[in-house]
Amino acid sequence: MKPRRRCWVATGGVNTHRGAIFGLGLLCAAAGARAQGLAAPATPLGAVVACRWKDDILAGPALLHSHGGAARRRYGAGGARLEAARGFPSLYEVGLPALREGALMAAGDAEAARVQACFALIAAVADTNLLHRGGLAGLRFAQRAARVFLEEGGVGRRDWRARALAVHRAFVARRLSPGGSADLLAMSLFVQACEAEG
């Protein structure tokens, strides 16, 4: 069995982590370019991606049968390709600030910071995985649930774990998976580590 087919069978036909692989691959390439002196050391990795590869990202082949592609065509959402071509604005404007805010709110608790950032991304991003799973109603439900979690104190509340679990269960009951937001969280953590070193 071919490796691609084996992965498809192993995941039950789910394109697991495709957005994370795409985005993290570009950010790794940007880190390599920066390390080789092809970009100024202080240049944010997202800016390196946009400057060096924007045109190629936008002109690249479109996957006809991807869930993200279908959600983009049906709902006009930007998706992973547009996010990357723009230099990952959701990562820099939402993910990284929420990681910092969460760490302050929870006295440096890394898990809490990640949960805060995840909820902030869910609230802000037109997640194509949520659109694929639940349509506009599913996206709006998830964004509203995330906003309520944040507005009611986020990880700054003592009972944040129970509240986050309740949101998780509500998503599961509706078959909603904020995979695009989770991908952006992973990229935020990668960039946070890389840019803290630089």
Side-chain angles (χ1 to χ4, degrees), residues 67-78:
H67 299 317
R72 280 191 306 278
R73 287 187 295 276
R74 183 167 182 189
Y75 301 107

Side-chain angles (χ1 to χ4, degrees), residues 25-194:
L26 286 167
L27 291 166
C28 285
R34 204 170 64 175
Q36 292 298 311
L38 300 174
T43 306
L45 296 180
V48 176
V49 170
C51 181
R52 295 186 65 80
W53 302 299
K54 174 183 178 178
D55 293 340
D56 293 327
I57 292 166
L58 294 175
L63 299 172
L64 294 177
H65 303 294
S66 75
H67 299 317
R72 280 191 306 278
R73 287 187 295 276
R74 183 167 182 189
Y75 301 107
R81 185 184 297 226
L82 190 57
E83 179 75 22
R86 290 179 174 170
F88 301 97
S90 298
L91 190 158
Y92 286 92
E93 295 167 15
V94 180
L96 289 170
L99 280 171
R100 290 189 291 271
E101 178 188 34
L104 289 171
M105 292 169 72
D109 180 338
E111 178 189 21
R114 292 168 184 174
V115 169
Q116 184 78 8
C118 189
F119 274 91
L121 287 161
I122 295 167
V125 173
D127 189 316
T128 55
N129 201 50
L130 285 169
L131 285 167
H132 167 70
R133 292 287 189 94
L136 279 174
L139 174 67
R140 288 178 181 144
F141 174 85
Q143 289 179 324
R144 186 170 48 254
R147 277 194 295 272
V148 168
F149 176 85
L150 296 168
E151 288 166 2
E152 292 182 351
V155 298
R157 279 184 43 167
R158 191 170 297 191
D159 63 344
W160 71 263
R161 284 184 174 85
R163 292 172 58 245
L165 182 58
V167 173
H168 164 72
R169 287 181 175 148
F171 284 11
V172 170
R174 290 165 177 79
R175 295 195 70 245
L176 297 175
S177 173
S181 301
D183 294 344
L184 286 165
L185 174 61
M187 291 179 236
S188 297
L189 291 165
F190 175 78
V191 168
Q192 183 184 55
C194 288

